[in-house]
Amino acid sequence: DPVGSDNEPPKHIATGTKRRVAARWSNANDETMVSILEKNKTEGRQADSGWKPGVWTEVSRELQGGPGGVKTVKSCQDRWRTLLKEYNTVHWLVTQVSGFGWDEDLKKVTVTDNVWDDFLKKHTKVTKYRTRGFPLYDCIAALVEGKQATGEQALRIENVTSTSRPSTATPSASKGSRRQSQTTTSSQECAITWVRCLRLRPAFA
């Protein structure tokens, strides 16, 4: 005889309650979230250690109704932390690792194949950045600029007076990289804002 009464199914069997599908994030979802955070920063709703009450509720509400599962407040916060880790890693590569640069047009890390080959022998977890760009890099830099970041921000940064990135790339590696010095006022792009991390560690450390 099966365990349990005739009226009660075993606990591991679903009783009609739908399991919530884990949220899946598209590039468009990420762009929408960052755009809302930019608006809230402009409105003064960003604190030193994170975002003021109601911000994540707004983000979650604006992302409802599309594909990819329900974007709850928690899933939005988790996704933001993931984006911060990616930003942290990319920033570390282009500002702290010799030979690496940044292509402002392609929004991706640039370095010679030989440098990549040697670097990935020890840091396999950044392999994706060899071919994949990070279009939100400048936008996230502007959002975390000047914040004594703890908790959900997960970065410790300071302002720099120049809008150009401190150069750490060797001449051979940086040759041919295309960069923009002008800022843009288009709502589809972010102003180029470079920040310098203190005690910066990559996301995979």
Side-chain angles (χ1 to χ4, degrees):
D1 293 336
V3 177
S5 68
D6 293 337
N7 296 326
E8 258 182 63
K11 292 181 180 179
H12 68 276
I13 297 178
T15 57
T17 302
K18 293 182 179 180
R19 175 183 288 183
R20 176 169 288 170
V21 178
R24 299 187 305 275
W25 290 81
S26 66
N27 290 339
N29 292 153
D30 290 341
E31 291 169 5
T32 297
M33 177 170 66
V34 169
S35 177
I36 295 169
L37 294 179
E38 288 175 325
K39 177 180 74 71
N40 277 276
K41 178 176 181 176
T42 301
E43 295 172 352
R45 302 181 69 193
Q46 184 183 28
D48 285 343
S49 60
W51 298 92
K52 294 183 178 180
V55 173
W56 290 114
T57 300
E58 179 184 350
V59 173
S60 175
R61 182 176 63 249
E62 292 298 322
L63 287 170
Q64 298 312 314
V70 177
K71 309 296 193 297
T72 64
V73 166
K74 183 180 184 304
S75 65
C76 291
Q77 291 172 320
D78 289 344
R79 182 59 181 173
W80 174 239
R81 293 186 185 100
T82 297
L83 290 177
L84 283 178
K85 288 179 180 179
E86 291 205 33
Y87 166 82
N88 194 14
T89 301
V90 173
H91 189 85
W92 174 72
L93 287 172
V94 301
T95 64
Q96 305 295 317
V97 182
S98 178
F100 283 75
W102 178 254
D103 189 313
E104 184 58 41
D105 295 331
L106 297 177
K107 302 292 184 183
K108 69 186 298 289
V109 172
T110 59
V111 70
T112 63
D113 287 338
N114 288 339
V115 174
W116 260 129
D117 291 340
D118 290 339
F119 188 77
L120 292 178
K121 291 176 183 177
K122 294 183 178 180
H123 303 288
T124 58
K125 291 185 178 181
V126 301
T127 301
K128 65 180 181 180
Y129 298 110
R130 185 167 191 166
T131 56
R132 186 186 303 176
F134 189 49
L136 292 175
Y137 180 83
D138 293 326
C139 299
I140 295 176
L143 284 171
V144 300
E145 178 188 11
K147 294 297 176 185
Q148 188 72 12
T150 58
E152 70 178 42
Q153 295 287 88
L155 290 170
R156 182 181 296 274
I157 58 180
E158 64 178 358
N159 286 320
V160 292
T161 56
S162 172
T163 57
S164 61
R165 177 180 55 81
S167 176
T168 58
T170 61
S172 60
S174 60
K175 183 179 180 181
S177 294
R178 294 165 294 178
R179 296 185 179 88
Q180 293 174 262
S181 60
Q182 70 272 23
T183 58
T184 175
T185 57
S186 170
S187 61
Q188 300 301 316
E189 298 180 16
C190 296
I192 300 171
T193 308
W194 294 103
V195 294
R196 186 176 184 179
C197 291
L198 300 177
R199 286 183 267 174
L200 186 64
R201 295 293 183 271
F204 53 85

